[in-house]
Amino acid sequence: LPRSLHIDEPTPHVDWSTGAVELLGEHTCWPEVDRPRRAGVSAFGVSGTNAHVIVEQAPEVVEAEAEGVVLPAVPWVVSGAGEVAVRAQVERLRGFADRNPDLDLVDVGWSLAVGR
C-alpha cells in the first residue's frame, strides 16, 4: 500500500483511537488476514471535489477445467485492405485448414484474433 500523500497531521474529525483506521506514513505491505482485505482511499481536489473509495480484495477465482468442452462455433477473424484482400485471406485460410485436418479450431481462432 502506498504512503498517504500531502498530509501534515491527521484530521481531528476522525476518532483514530478506535478501529483499525490509520494513515500510512510509508509504503506498507498489505497483510494477509482471515477475511478479505480492505482499504479506504480518499482524494481531495483543490476545487472542493472529493472522491472516496473502499478497495476490497477480490475473491479467489477457481477456474474450471475446459477439457472436453465442445463449442458450437468458433469464429475465425480475418482482415484485409478491402473486400478482395479479405476474400483472398479467407481462401488462404481455407486451403491451410484443408491441408491440416487435425487443426485445433479453438487454437486457430485464438491465433487469428490475437496474432495479427
Side-chain angles (χ1 to χ4, degrees), residues 1 24 30 35-42 53-57:
L1 300 171
L24 299 179
W30 200 355
R35 58 173 170 66
R37 298 177 289 181
R38 293 182 190 93
V41 180
S42 294
V53 65
I54 295 175
V55 180
E56 181 174 291
Q57 176 183 7

Side-chain angles (χ1 to χ4, degrees), residues 2 11 17 20 23 26 31 42 52 56 58 78 92 98 104:
T11 180
S17 65
L23 298 174
E26 58 189 46
S42 294
H52 310 284
E56 181 174 291
V78 295
R92 283 191 297 275
D98 288 345
D104 184 320

Side-chain angles (χ1 to χ4, degrees), residues 9 12 22 31-32 49 54 59 63 66 76 79 85 96 108:
E9 61 184 60
E22 63 182 293
E32 292 285 339
T49 302
I54 295 175
E63 294 192 26
W76 285 11
S79 62
F96 177 75
V108 173

Side-chain angles (χ1 to χ4, degrees), residues 1-109:
L1 300 171
R3 67 179 180 84
S4 300
L5 299 175
H6 313 297
I7 298 174
D8 296 327
E9 61 184 60
T11 180
H13 301 289
V14 172
D15 182 0
W16 299 99
S17 65
T18 61
V21 178
E22 63 182 293
L23 298 174
L24 299 179
E26 58 189 46
H27 292 285
T28 306
C29 290
W30 200 355
E32 292 285 339
V33 291
D34 61 347
R35 58 173 170 66
R37 298 177 289 181
R38 293 182 190 93
V41 180
S42 294
F44 302 95
V46 174
S47 66
T49 302
N50 301 330
H52 310 284
V53 65
I54 295 175
V55 180
E56 181 174 291
Q57 176 183 7
E60 185 175 330
V61 176
V62 178
E63 294 192 26
E65 289 293 322
E67 288 187 38
V69 174
V70 177
L71 301 174
V74 178
W76 285 11
V77 180
V78 295
S79 62
E83 183 178 345
V84 173
V86 169
R87 289 186 185 280
Q89 181 68 5
V90 168
E91 288 307 315
R92 283 191 297 275
L93 186 57
R94 183 188 325 262
F96 177 75
D98 288 345
R99 290 186 306 276
N100 298 279
D102 294 331
L103 285 174
D104 184 320
L105 302 180
V106 175
D107 284 346
V108 173

